[in-house]
Amino acid sequence: MDTLTSRGRAIRVGVTVLALAVLLAGTIWGEDDHFPFGPFRMYSTSDPPNADAPDTRVEGVDRTGSLVDLGEGATGIRRAEIEGQQARYSADPSLLRQVAEAYARRHPDAPELTEVRIVIRWHDITDRRPTGRWYDETVVSWQVTS
């Protein structure tokens, strides 16, 4: 192997210093979206020992009054996409129309939906252990308008 030239060494040191500077800046001021140059807090924090655990789902009611699971299998929309956009759905519930339309495309013969809602099931946790108790909270609801 040949000896590294001064110019080559300077370039490598410069790139290393730049990468470390970006990594440090991302660690101090970054968000999860900046990963790998920002923190990935999802695994670096924990909830309090008695914090309830959320389980988000999307459900609908069809014109027959039946409850319809609007999960990924029914709509093609992943739960993570719903959770990631939950603030947008809360601000503008009519965006849930997209979920109803996705369901209708996949199930053209199914009864039409009259309502779409995002529901969080809060599982009771005590001393970091599930108690088996839970309650549902409807956080967003949209009535289908023809």
Side-chain angles (χ1 to χ4, degrees):
M1 179 166 160
D2 293 344
T3 304
L4 191 61
T5 65
S6 295
R7 181 174 183 262
R9 187 175 302 118
I11 289 172
R12 287 184 182 190
V13 168
V15 168
T16 301
V17 168
L18 178 64
L20 290 174
V22 170
L23 185 62
L24 179 63
T27 299
I28 294 171
W29 297 290
E31 298 293 328
D32 284 350
D33 291 342
H34 302 137
F35 184 80
F37 292 105
F40 199 48
R41 291 186 179 101
M42 178 162 120
Y43 298 112
S44 66
T45 62
S46 65
D47 292 326
N50 295 317
D52 291 348
D55 181 14
T56 304
R57 69 181 186 274
V58 181
E59 62 187 29
V61 178
D62 67 20
R63 64 181 145 96
T64 69
S66 297
L67 191 63
V68 180
D69 175 17
L70 298 176
E72 183 176 358
T75 63
I77 302 171
R78 295 178 312 136
R79 183 174 89 171
E81 294 175 56
I82 297 293
E83 289 175 337
Q85 299 295 319
Q86 188 172 319
R88 288 185 62 221
Y89 290 118
S90 294
D92 183 6
S94 69
L95 293 173
L96 288 172
R97 173 185 303 276
Q98 299 165 346
V99 176
E101 290 170 350
Y103 175 75
R105 279 192 303 274
R106 286 185 169 225
H107 306 277
D109 297 330
E112 294 177 12
L113 296 175
T114 59
E115 181 182 10
V116 177
R117 56 189 175 222
I118 298 174
V119 179
I120 299 177
R121 176 162 288 172
W122 292 96
H123 294 274
D124 183 51
I125 305 292
T126 301
D127 295 326
R128 299 198 189 281
R129 301 244 183 246
T131 64
R133 294 185 306 267
W134 51 265
Y135 67 94
D136 287 341
E137 174 189 10
T138 300
V139 292
V140 183
S141 179
W142 174 72
Q143 300 294 320
V144 177
T145 56
S146 298

mmCIF file with all atom_site columns, all heavy atoms in Angstrom, residues 85-106:
data_model
loop_
_atom_site.group_PDB
_atom_site.id
_atom_site.type_symbol
_atom_site.label_atom_id
_atom_site.label_alt_id
_atom_site.label_comp_id
_atom_site.label_asym_id
_atom_site.label_entity_id
_atom_site.label_seq_id
_atom_site.pdbx_PDB_ins_code
_atom_site.Cartn_x
_atom_site.Cartn_y
_atom_site.Cartn_z
_atom_site.occupancy
_atom_site.B_iso_or_equiv
_atom_site.pdbx_formal_charge
_atom_site.auth_seq_id
_atom_site.auth_comp_id
_atom_site.auth_asym_id
_atom_site.auth_atom_id
_atom_site.pdbx_PDB_model_num
ATOM 1   N N   . GLN A 1 85  ? -49.916 11.208 11.086 1.00 0.00 ? 85  GLN A N   1
ATOM 2   C CA  . GLN A 1 85  ? -50.699 12.349 10.588 1.00 0.00 ? 85  GLN A CA  1
ATOM 3   C C   . GLN A 1 85  ? -51.881 12.685 11.502 1.00 0.00 ? 85  GLN A C   1
ATOM 4   O O   . GLN A 1 85  ? -52.758 13.468 11.124 1.00 0.00 ? 85  GLN A O   1
ATOM 5   C CB  . GLN A 1 85  ? -51.230 12.025 9.182  1.00 0.00 ? 85  GLN A CB  1
ATOM 6   C CG  . GLN A 1 85  ? -50.156 11.766 8.159  1.00 0.00 ? 85  GLN A CG  1
ATOM 7   C CD  . GLN A 1 85  ? -49.331 13.009 7.897  1.00 0.00 ? 85  GLN A CD  1
ATOM 8   O OE1 . GLN A 1 85  ? -49.863 14.112 7.818  1.00 0.00 ? 85  GLN A OE1 1
ATOM 9   N NE2 . GLN A 1 85  ? -48.028 12.849 7.788  1.00 0.00 ? 85  GLN A NE2 1
ATOM 10  N N   . GLN A 1 86  ? -51.897 12.130 12.690 1.00 0.00 ? 86  GLN A N   1
ATOM 11  C CA  . GLN A 1 86  ? -53.048 12.302 13.572 1.00 0.00 ? 86  GLN A CA  1
ATOM 12  C C   . GLN A 1 86  ? -53.359 13.769 13.866 1.00 0.00 ? 86  GLN A C   1
ATOM 13  O O   . GLN A 1 86  ? -54.532 14.153 13.920 1.00 0.00 ? 86  GLN A O   1
ATOM 14  C CB  . GLN A 1 86  ? -52.841 11.534 14.876 1.00 0.00 ? 86  GLN A CB  1
ATOM 15  C CG  . GLN A 1 86  ? -54.071 11.518 15.741 1.00 0.00 ? 86  GLN A CG  1
ATOM 16  C CD  . GLN A 1 86  ? -53.904 10.599 16.922 1.00 0.00 ? 86  GLN A CD  1
ATOM 17  O OE1 . GLN A 1 86  ? -53.354 9.514  16.792 1.00 0.00 ? 86  GLN A OE1 1
ATOM 18  N NE2 . GLN A 1 86  ? -54.393 11.020 18.069 1.00 0.00 ? 86  GLN A NE2 1
ATOM 19  N N   . ALA A 1 87  ? -52.351 14.592 14.018 1.00 0.00 ? 87  ALA A N   1
ATOM 20  C CA  . ALA A 1 87  ? -52.595 16.016 14.274 1.00 0.00 ? 87  ALA A CA  1
ATOM 21  C C   . ALA A 1 87  ? -53.313 16.660 13.089 1.00 0.00 ? 87  ALA A C   1
ATOM 22  O O   . ALA A 1 87  ? -54.204 17.503 13.276 1.00 0.00 ? 87  ALA A O   1
ATOM 23  C CB  . ALA A 1 87  ? -51.280 16.741 14.562 1.00 0.00 ? 87  ALA A CB  1
ATOM 24  N N   . ARG A 1 88  ? -52.951 16.263 11.870 1.00 0.00 ? 88  ARG A N   1
ATOM 25  C CA  . ARG A 1 88  ? -53.633 16.795 10.678 1.00 0.00 ? 88  ARG A CA  1
ATOM 26  C C   . ARG A 1 88  ? -55.087 16.349 10.634 1.00 0.00 ? 88  ARG A C   1
ATOM 27  O O   . ARG A 1 88  ? -55.979 17.127 10.305 1.00 0.00 ? 88  ARG A O   1
ATOM 28  C CB  . ARG A 1 88  ? -52.924 16.341 9.402  1.00 0.00 ? 88  ARG A CB  1
ATOM 29  C CG  . ARG A 1 88  ? -51.598 17.029 9.174  1.00 0.00 ? 88  ARG A CG  1
ATOM 30  C CD  . ARG A 1 88  ? -50.985 16.649 7.839  1.00 0.00 ? 88  ARG A CD  1
ATOM 31  N NE  . ARG A 1 88  ? -51.857 17.065 6.730  1.00 0.00 ? 88  ARG A NE  1
ATOM 32  C CZ  . ARG A 1 88  ? -52.102 16.328 5.652  1.00 0.00 ? 88  ARG A CZ  1
ATOM 33  N NH1 . ARG A 1 88  ? -51.564 15.135 5.512  1.00 0.00 ? 88  ARG A NH1 1
ATOM 34  N NH2 . ARG A 1 88  ? -52.885 16.769 4.697  1.00 0.00 ? 88  ARG A NH2 1
ATOM 35  N N   . TYR A 1 89  ? -55.340 15.072 10.961 1.00 0.00 ? 89  TYR A N   1
ATOM 36  C CA  . TYR A 1 89  ? -56.716 14.577 10.977 1.00 0.00 ? 89  TYR A CA  1
ATOM 37  C C   . TYR A 1 89  ? -57.534 15.290 12.053 1.00 0.00 ? 89  TYR A C   1
ATOM 38  O O   . TYR A 1 89  ? -58.702 15.583 11.841 1.00 0.00 ? 89  TYR A O   1
ATOM 39  C CB  . TYR A 1 89  ? -56.757 13.065 11.208 1.00 0.00 ? 89  TYR A CB  1
ATOM 40  C CG  . TYR A 1 89  ? -56.252 12.253 10.048 1.00 0.00 ? 89  TYR A CG  1
ATOM 41  C CD1 . TYR A 1 89  ? -55.144 11.425 10.182 1.00 0.00 ? 89  TYR A CD1 1
ATOM 42  C CD2 . TYR A 1 89  ? -56.881 12.290 8.809  1.00 0.00 ? 89  TYR A CD2 1
ATOM 43  C CE1 . TYR A 1 89  ? -54.685 10.665 9.118  1.00 0.00 ? 89  TYR A CE1 1
ATOM 44  C CE2 . TYR A 1 89  ? -56.425 11.538 7.739  1.00 0.00 ? 89  TYR A CE2 1
ATOM 45  C CZ  . TYR A 1 89  ? -55.324 10.731 7.897  1.00 0.00 ? 89  TYR A CZ  1
ATOM 46  O OH  . TYR A 1 89  ? -54.868 9.991  6.850  1.00 0.00 ? 89  TYR A OH  1
ATOM 47  N N   . SER A 1 90  ? -56.919 15.555 13.191 1.00 0.00 ? 90  SER A N   1
ATOM 48  C CA  . SER A 1 90  ? -57.623 16.275 14.259 1.00 0.00 ? 90  SER A CA  1
ATOM 49  C C   . SER A 1 90  ? -57.960 17.696 13.828 1.00 0.00 ? 90  SER A C   1
ATOM 50  O O   . SER A 1 90  ? -59.044 18.195 14.118 1.00 0.00 ? 90  SER A O   1
ATOM 51  C CB  . SER A 1 90  ? -56.778 16.304 15.537 1.00 0.00 ? 90  SER A CB  1
ATOM 52  O OG  . SER A 1 90  ? -56.629 15.012 16.051 1.00 0.00 ? 90  SER A OG  1
ATOM 53  N N   . ALA A 1 91  ? -57.032 18.339 13.139 1.00 0.00 ? 91  ALA A N   1
ATOM 54  C CA  . ALA A 1 91  ? -57.260 19.708 12.672 1.00 0.00 ? 91  ALA A CA  1
ATOM 55  C C   . ALA A 1 91  ? -58.289 19.760 11.550 1.00 0.00 ? 91  ALA A C   1
ATOM 56  O O   . ALA A 1 91  ? -59.037 20.738 11.430 1.00 0.00 ? 91  ALA A O   1
ATOM 57  C CB  . ALA A 1 91  ? -55.943 20.335 12.208 1.00 0.00 ? 91  ALA A CB  1
ATOM 58  N N   . ASP A 1 92  ? -58.338 18.718 10.722 1.00 0.00 ? 92  ASP A N   1
ATOM 59  C CA  . ASP A 1 92  ? -59.265 18.687 9.591  1.00 0.00 ? 92  ASP A CA  1
ATOM 60  C C   . ASP A 1 92  ? -59.812 17.271 9.424  1.00 0.00 ? 92  ASP A C   1
ATOM 61  O O   . ASP A 1 92  ? -59.299 16.493 8.619  1.00 0.00 ? 92  ASP A O   1
ATOM 62  C CB  . ASP A 1 92  ? -58.551 19.149 8.314  1.00 0.00 ? 92  ASP A CB  1
ATOM 63  C CG  . ASP A 1 92  ? -59.466 19.223 7.113  1.00 0.00 ? 92  ASP A CG  1
ATOM 64  O OD1 . ASP A 1 92  ? -60.699 19.027 7.270  1.00 0.00 ? 92  ASP A OD1 1
ATOM 65  O OD2 . ASP A 1 92  ? -58.958 19.481 6.002  1.00 0.00 ? 92  ASP A OD2 1
ATOM 66  N N   . PRO A 1 93  ? -60.852 16.910 10.185 1.00 0.00 ? 93  PRO A N   1
ATOM 67  C CA  . PRO A 1 93  ? -61.394 15.549 10.129 1.00 0.00 ? 93  PRO A CA  1
ATOM 68  C C   . PRO A 1 93  ? -61.839 15.112 8.728  1.00 0.00 ? 93  PRO A C   1
ATOM 69  O O   . PRO A 1 93  ? -61.887 13.913 8.445  1.00 0.00 ? 93  PRO A O   1
ATOM 70  C CB  . PRO A 1 93  ? -62.589 15.598 11.085 1.00 0.00 ? 93  PRO A CB  1
ATOM 71  C CG  . PRO A 1 93  ? -62.261 16.707 12.033 1.00 0.00 ? 93  PRO A CG  1
ATOM 72  C CD  . PRO A 1 93  ? -61.521 17.723 11.211 1.00 0.00 ? 93  PRO A CD  1
ATOM 73  N N   . SER A 1 94  ? -62.122 16.048 7.841  1.00 0.00 ? 94  SER A N   1
ATOM 74  C CA  . SER A 1 94  ? -62.552 15.667 6.495  1.00 0.00 ? 94  SER A CA  1
ATOM 75  C C   . SER A 1 94  ? -61.457 14.918 5.736  1.00 0.00 ? 94  SER A C   1
ATOM 76  O O   . SER A 1 94  ? -61.737 14.260 4.735  1.00 0.00 ? 94  SER A O   1
ATOM 77  C CB  . SER A 1 94  ? -63.010 16.895 5.697  1.00 0.00 ? 94  SER A CB  1
ATOM 78  O OG  . SER A 1 94  ? -61.923 17.738 5.389  1.00 0.00 ? 94  SER A OG  1
ATOM 79  N N   . LEU A 1 95  ? -60.217 14.985 6.215  1.00 0.00 ? 95  LEU A N   1
ATOM 80  C CA  . LEU A 1 95  ? -59.139 14.216 5.595  1.00 0.00 ? 95  LEU A CA  1
ATOM 81  C C   . LEU A 1 95  ? -59.374 12.710 5.726  1.00 0.00 ? 95  LEU A C   1
ATOM 82  O O   . LEU A 1 95  ? -58.808 11.918 4.972  1.00 0.00 ? 95  LEU A O   1
ATOM 83  C CB  . LEU A 1 95  ? -57.787 14.589 6.201  1.00 0.00 ? 95  LEU A CB  1
ATOM 84  C CG  . LEU A 1 95  ? -57.294 16.008 5.913  1.00 0.00 ? 95  LEU A CG  1
ATOM 85  C CD1 . LEU A 1 95  ? -56.025 16.309 6.704  1.00 0.00 ? 95  LEU A CD1 1
ATOM 86  C CD2 . LEU A 1 95  ? -57.060 16.202 4.421  1.00 0.00 ? 95  LEU A CD2 1
ATOM 87  N N   . LEU A 1 96  ? -60.222 12.325 6.673  1.00 0.00 ? 96  LEU A N   1
ATOM 88  C CA  . LEU A 1 96  ? -60.553 10.901 6.827  1.00 0.00 ? 96  LEU A CA  1
ATOM 89  C C   . LEU A 1 96  ? -61.334 10.381 5.622  1.00 0.00 ? 96  LEU A C   1
ATOM 90  O O   . LEU A 1 96  ? -61.503 9.174  5.464  1.00 0.00 ? 96  LEU A O   1
ATOM 91  C CB  . LEU A 1 96  ? -61.325 10.663 8.122  1.00 0.00 ? 96  LEU A CB  1
ATOM 92  C CG  . LEU A 1 96  ? -60.491 10.780 9.399  1.00 0.00 ? 96  LEU A CG  1
ATOM 93  C CD1 . LEU A 1 96  ? -61.377 10.718 10.633 1.00 0.00 ? 96  LEU A CD1 1
ATOM 94  C CD2 . LEU A 1 96  ? -59.427 9.703  9.445  1.00 0.00 ? 96  LEU A CD2 1
ATOM 95  N N   . ARG A 1 97  ? -61.780 11.274 4.764  1.00 0.00 ? 97  ARG A N   1
ATOM 96  C CA  . ARG A 1 97  ? -62.434 10.875 3.514  1.00 0.00 ? 97  ARG A CA  1
ATOM 97  C C   . ARG A 1 97  ? -61.499 9.951  2.720  1.00 0.00 ? 97  ARG A C   1
ATOM 98  O O   . ARG A 1 97  ? -61.954 9.004  2.075  1.00 0.00 ? 97  ARG A O   1
ATOM 99  C CB  . ARG A 1 97  ? -62.780 12.102 2.677  1.00 0.00 ? 97  ARG A CB  1
ATOM 100 C CG  . ARG A 1 97  ? -63.318 11.757 1.282  1.00 0.00 ? 97  ARG A CG  1
ATOM 101 C CD  . ARG A 1 97  ? -63.545 12.995 0.425  1.00 0.00 ? 97  ARG A CD  1
ATOM 102 N NE  . ARG A 1 97  ? -64.437 13.949 1.042  1.00 0.00 ? 97  ARG A NE  1
ATOM 103 C CZ  . ARG A 1 97  ? -65.778 13.893 0.968  1.00 0.00 ? 97  ARG A CZ  1
ATOM 104 N NH1 . ARG A 1 97  ? -66.363 12.920 0.317  1.00 0.00 ? 97  ARG A NH1 1
ATOM 105 N NH2 . ARG A 1 97  ? -66.516 14.813 1.549  1.00 0.00 ? 97  ARG A NH2 1
ATOM 106 N N   . GLN A 1 98  ? -60.195 10.226 2.778  1.00 0.00 ? 98  GLN A N   1
ATOM 107 C CA  . GLN A 1 98  ? -59.222 9.400  2.054  1.00 0.00 ? 98  GLN A CA  1
ATOM 108 C C   . GLN A 1 98  ? -59.267 7.950  2.532  1.00 0.00 ? 98  GLN A C   1
ATOM 109 O O   . GLN A 1 98  ? -59.120 7.021  1.736  1.00 0.00 ? 98  GLN A O   1
ATOM 110 C CB  . GLN A 1 98  ? -57.812 9.959  2.229  1.00 0.00 ? 98  GLN A CB  1
ATOM 111 C CG  . GLN A 1 98  ? -57.658 11.357 1.687  1.00 0.00 ? 98  GLN A CG  1
ATOM 112 C CD  . GLN A 1 98  ? -56.386 12.032 2.172  1.00 0.00 ? 98  GLN A CD  1
ATOM 113 O OE1 . GLN A 1 98  ? -55.745 11.579 3.108  1.00 0.00 ? 98  GLN A OE1 1
ATOM 114 N NE2 . GLN A 1 98  ? -56.028 13.122 1.517  1.00 0.00 ? 98  GLN A NE2 1
ATOM 115 N N   . VAL A 1 99  ? -59.482 7.748  3.813  1.00 0.00 ? 99  VAL A N   1
ATOM 116 C CA  . VAL A 1 99  ? -59.577 6.392  4.361  1.00 0.00 ? 99  VAL A CA  1
ATOM 117 C C   . VAL A 1 99  ? -60.843 5.721  3.835  1.00 0.00 ? 99  VAL A C   1
ATOM 118 O O   . VAL A 1 99  ? -60.813 4.561  3.404  1.00 0.00 ? 99  VAL A O   1
ATOM 119 C CB  . VAL A 1 99  ? -59.560 6.421  5.906  1.00 0.00 ? 99  VAL A CB  1
ATOM 120 C CG1 . VAL A 1 99  ? -59.747 5.020  6.474  1.00 0.00 ? 99  VAL A CG1 1
ATOM 121 C CG2 . VAL A 1 99  ? -58.267 7.047  6.423  1.00 0.00 ? 99  VAL A CG2 1
ATOM 122 N N   . ALA A 1 100 ? -61.956 6.462  3.844  1.00 0.00 ? 100 ALA A N   1
ATOM 123 C CA  . ALA A 1 100 ? -63.218 5.914  3.336  1.00 0.00 ? 100 ALA A CA  1
ATOM 124 C C   . ALA A 1 100 ? -63.101 5.571  1.852  1.00 0.00 ? 100 ALA A C   1
ATOM 125 O O   . ALA A 1 100 ? -63.596 4.520  1.405  1.00 0.00 ? 100 ALA A O   1
ATOM 126 C CB  . ALA A 1 100 ? -64.347 6.919  3.560  1.00 0.00 ? 100 ALA A CB  1
ATOM 127 N N   . GLU A 1 101 ? -62.442 6.425  1.092  1.00 0.00 ? 101 GLU A N   1
ATOM 128 C CA  . GLU A 1 101 ? -62.272 6.168  -0.345 1.00 0.00 ? 101 GLU A CA  1
ATOM 129 C C   . GLU A 1 101 ? -61.371 4.956  -0.583 1.00 0.00 ? 101 GLU A C   1
ATOM 130 O O   . GLU A 1 101 ? -61.634 4.152  -1.480 1.00 0.00 ? 101 GLU A O   1
ATOM 131 C CB  . GLU A 1 101 ? -61.713 7.411  -1.031 1.00 0.00 ? 101 GLU A CB  1
ATOM 132 C CG  . GLU A 1 101 ? -62.714 8.549  -1.099 1.00 0.00 ? 101 GLU A CG  1
ATOM 133 C CD  . GLU A 1 101 ? -62.103 9.866  -1.556 1.00 0.00 ? 101 GLU A CD  1
ATOM 134 O OE1 . GLU A 1 101 ? -60.853 9.967  -1.652 1.00 0.00 ? 101 GLU A OE1 1
ATOM 135 O OE2 . GLU A 1 101 ? -62.875 10.814 -1.786 1.00 0.00 ? 101 GLU A OE2 1
ATOM 136 N N   . ALA A 1 102 ? -60.321 4.814  0.212  1.00 0.00 ? 102 ALA A N   1
ATOM 137 C CA  . ALA A 1 102 ? -59.433 3.661  0.078  1.00 0.00 ? 102 ALA A CA  1
ATOM 138 C C   . ALA A 1 102 ? -60.191 2.369  0.390  1.00 0.00 ? 102 ALA A C   1
ATOM 139 O O   . ALA A 1 102 ? -60.021 1.357  -0.289 1.00 0.00 ? 102 ALA A O   1
ATOM 140 C CB  . ALA A 1 102 ? -58.218 3.813  0.993  1.00 0.00 ? 102 ALA A CB  1
ATOM 141 N N   . TYR A 1 103 ? -61.038 2.418  1.405  1.00 0.00 ? 103 TYR A N   1
ATOM 142 C CA  . TYR A 1 103 ? -61.853 1.244  1.747  1.00 0.00 ? 103 TYR A CA  1
ATOM 143 C C   . TYR A 1 103 ? -62.816 0.913  0.608  1.00 0.00 ? 103 TYR A C   1
ATOM 144 O O   . TYR A 1 103 ? -62.956 -0.249 0.213  1.00 0.00 ? 103 TYR A O   1
ATOM 145 C CB  . TYR A 1 103 ? -62.621 1.508  3.046  1.00 0.00 ? 103 TYR A CB  1
ATOM 146 C CG  . TYR A 1 103 ? -63.573 0.392  3.413  1.00 0.00 ? 103 TYR A CG  1
ATOM 147 C CD1 . TYR A 1 103 ? -63.100 -0.797 3.939  1.00 0.00 ? 103 TYR A CD1 1
ATOM 148 C CD2 . TYR A 1 103 ? -64.939 0.537  3.224  1.00 0.00 ? 103 TYR A CD2 1
ATOM 149 C CE1 . TYR A 1 103 ? -63.962 -1.832 4.268  1.00 0.00 ? 103 TYR A CE1 1
ATOM 150 C CE2 . TYR A 1 103 ? -65.817 -0.489 3.544  1.00 0.00 ? 103 TYR A CE2 1
ATOM 151 C CZ  . TYR A 1 103 ? -65.322 -1.663 4.065  1.00 0.00 ? 103 TYR A CZ  1
ATOM 152 O OH  . TYR A 1 103 ? -66.172 -2.686 4.383  1.00 0.00 ? 103 TYR A OH  1
ATOM 153 N N   . ALA A 1 104 ? -63.469 1.937  0.052  1.00 0.00 ? 104 ALA A N   1
ATOM 154 C CA  . ALA A 1 104 ? -64.436 1.719  -1.033 1.00 0.00 ? 104 ALA A CA  1
ATOM 155 C C   . ALA A 1 104 ? -63.761 1.123  -2.273 1.00 0.00 ? 104 ALA A C   1
ATOM 156 O O   . ALA A 1 104 ? -64.350 0.263  -2.947 1.00 0.00 ? 104 ALA A O   1
ATOM 157 C CB  . ALA A 1 104 ? -65.134 3.033  -1.375 1.00 0.00 ? 104 ALA A CB  1
ATOM 158 N N   . ARG A 1 105 ? -62.537 1.561  -2.565 1.00 0.00 ? 105 ARG A N   1
ATOM 159 C CA  . ARG A 1 105 ? -61.809 1.003  -3.717 1.00 0.00 ? 105 ARG A CA  1
ATOM 160 C C   . ARG A 1 105 ? -61.506 -0.481 -3.518 1.00 0.00 ? 105 ARG A C   1
ATOM 161 O O   . ARG A 1 105 ? -61.581 -1.262 -4.456 1.00 0.00 ? 105 ARG A O   1
ATOM 162 C CB  . ARG A 1 105 ? -60.503 1.769  -3.954 1.00 0.00 ? 105 ARG A CB  1
ATOM 163 C CG  . ARG A 1 105 ? -60.673 3.060  -4.714 1.00 0.00 ? 105 ARG A CG  1
ATOM 164 C CD  . ARG A 1 105 ? -59.335 3.621  -5.164 1.00 0.00 ? 105 ARG A CD  1
ATOM 165 N NE  . ARG A 1 105 ? -58.397 3.861  -4.081 1.00 0.00 ? 105 ARG A NE  1
ATOM 166 C CZ  . ARG A 1 105 ? -58.339 4.970  -3.342 1.00 0.00 ? 105 ARG A CZ  1
ATOM 167 N NH1 . ARG A 1 105 ? -59.188 5.956  -3.566 1.00 0.00 ? 105 ARG A NH1 1
ATOM 168 N NH2 . ARG A 1 105 ? -57.449 5.100  -2.392 1.00 0.00 ? 105 ARG A NH2 1
ATOM 169 N N   . ARG A 1 106 ? -61.157 -0.861 -2.314 1.00 0.00 ? 106 ARG A N   1
ATOM 170 C CA  . ARG A 1 106 ? -60.799 -2.261 -2.040 1.00 0.00 ? 106 ARG A CA  1
ATOM 171 C C   . ARG A 1 106 ? -62.020 -3.148 -1.827 1.00 0.00 ? 106 ARG A C   1
ATOM 172 O O   . ARG A 1 106 ? -61.920 -4.363 -1.945 1.00 0.00 ? 106 ARG A O   1
ATOM 173 C CB  . ARG A 1 106 ? -59.893 -2.344 -0.816 1.00 0.00 ? 106 ARG A CB  1
ATOM 174 C CG  . ARG A 1 106 ? -58.488 -1.878 -1.110 1.00 0.00 ? 106 ARG A CG  1
ATOM 175 C CD  . ARG A 1 106 ? -57.604 -2.090 0.097  1.00 0.00 ? 106 ARG A CD  1
ATOM 176 N NE  . ARG A 1 106 ? -56.228 -1.886 -0.311 1.00 0.00 ? 106 ARG A NE  1
ATOM 177 C CZ  . ARG A 1 106 ? -55.229 -2.688 0.023  1.00 0.00 ? 106 ARG A CZ  1
ATOM 178 N NH1 . ARG A 1 106 ? -55.445 -3.740 0.770  1.00 0.00 ? 106 ARG A NH1 1
ATOM 179 N NH2 . ARG A 1 106 ? -54.012 -2.433 -0.377 1.00 0.00 ? 106 ARG A NH2 1
#
